[in-house]
Amino acid sequence: GGIITQTPKFLIGQEGQKLTLKCQQNFNHDTMYWYRQDSGKGLRLIYYSITENDLQKGDLSEGYDASREKKSSFSLTVTSAQKNEMAVFLCASSLRQGKNTEVFFGKGTRLTVV
Amino acid sequence: AQKVTQTQTSISVVEKTTVTMDCVYETRDSSYFLFWYKQTASGEIVFLIRQDSYKKENATVGHYSLNFQKPKSSIGLIITATQIEDSAVYFCAMREGGNYNQGKLIFGQGTKLSIKP
């Protein structure tokens, strides 16, 4: 078994601030994802990475940067936090080969912008 | 373009009955994979069941089964003998199988299921 660890669990930022969220996985998975979930809504893909140093944009990449410097870690940066923004950011990972493999999720980082 | 749509926002059923949740998808790929995930009240998201597009037989895992209707681009989730602990939000998801879209997994909006005693 393995685990996906997201830090921090809670993040409070100020409008205009640059904020970084981190994710570590010990599954030895190739592919990692960042999703955003707004209250009562579905998961929207921000960025994903199929291997170390790879980055692929999702449907919601504007306003975000991502970095995959190691296979086990994937970080997400909110380039300029928007006032009153509240959302949960979920990191996930999966094997790349055999695209029918399941995705495992972390417990999320809850962002509040004041 | 790749798209997954769940039109049922919420469903409420009595315990021990059967419930079906709908999901339709759009894809240009001939090979794709469909998934259902469950998000509990704590926020945890767990994988439930998968259907490969090339398989005609509907997938079944425990009291979860799928109704795969490929001509209609539809993948319904059926839960039989529902239990209180099945109360959660259920997400449908799709991953296309082509090389140009390696690993991209997109989700529907979710259906909130409430099981009443």
Side-chain angles (χ1 to χ4, degrees):
Chain A
I3 190 169
I4 295 177
T5 303
Q6 291 187 236
T7 55
K9 289 184 181 177
F10 299 94
L11 182 56
I12 299 175
Q14 295 189 329
E15 186 181 13
Q17 193 176 3
K18 186 176 181 179
L19 303 166
T20 298
L21 292 69
K22 294 186 182 296
C23 177
Q24 295 263 353
Q25 53 95 2
N26 63 1
F27 287 99
N28 199 33
H29 282 165
D30 311 289
T31 305
M32 296 186 74
Y33 308 82
W34 276 106
Y35 290 92
R36 173 181 168 133
Q37 184 174 31
D38 292 276
S39 181
K41 303 276 181 69
L43 282 68
R44 291 184 289 173
L45 182 63
I46 306 172
Y47 271 100
Y48 68 107
S49 167
I50 61 174
T51 189
E52 189 176 325
N53 293 320
D54 174 75
L55 277 181
Q56 309 278 342
K57 289 185 177 181
D59 298 324
L60 201 66
S61 61
E62 190 170 334
Y64 302 94
D65 287 327
S67 175
R68 183 92 182 273
E69 293 169 350
K70 294 191 302 184
K71 186 176 182 180
S72 62
S73 66
F74 193 29
S75 62
L76 180 73
T77 299
V78 180
T79 55
S80 179
Q82 300 298 304
K83 190 172 175 64
N84 297 322
E85 181 176 7
M86 285 180 64
V88 175
F89 292 83
L90 292 158
C91 177
S93 72
S94 70
L95 285 172
R96 177 184 170 189
Q97 290 193 352
K99 298 191 179 77
N100 57 355
T101 56
E102 64 179 282
V103 170
F104 294 85
F105 282 86
K107 295 188 176 182
T109 292
R110 187 174 295 273
L111 171 66
T112 302
V113 181
V114 297
Chain B
Q2 192 181 359
K3 189 177 180 181
V4 176
T5 303
Q6 295 176 254
T7 55
Q8 299 160 304
T9 305
S10 63
I11 301 175
S12 181
V13 300
V14 176
E15 191 180 13
K16 299 180 185 174
T17 60
T18 294
V19 64
T20 299
M21 283 175 272
D22 301 328
C23 175
V24 293
Y25 57 90
E26 294 177 26
T27 179
R28 291 176 295 182
D29 239 354
S30 58
S31 174
Y32 49 90
F33 306 92
L34 301 161
F35 306 82
W36 279 90
Y37 286 82
K38 170 183 177 181
Q39 186 173 36
T40 62
S42 68
E44 185 183 11
I45 299 176
V46 294
F47 165 75
L48 294 178
I49 191 169
R50 181 190 84 234
Q51 180 77 39
D52 302 341
S53 63
Y54 57 86
K55 290 186 178 177
K56 292 185 178 179
E57 192 174 303
N58 288 322
T60 298
V61 175
H63 74 144
Y64 302 107
S65 62
L66 297 177
N67 179 17
F68 182 39
Q69 299 184 61
K70 196 170 182 178
K72 294 185 179 180
S73 297
S74 169
I75 183 73
L77 173 69
I78 303 166
I79 307 177
T80 57
T82 51
Q83 302 161 20
I84 298 294
E85 51 266 34
D86 291 323
S87 297
V89 178
Y90 289 80
F91 291 100
C92 177
M94 174 175 68
R95 174 184 290 145
E96 290 176 334
N99 287 332
Y100 61 87
N101 225 355
Q102 296 173 26
K104 184 177 181 180
L105 179 69
I106 64 164
F107 285 77
Q109 300 89 330
T111 297
K112 183 176 182 179
L113 176 64
S114 299
I115 308 296
K116 297 182 292 187

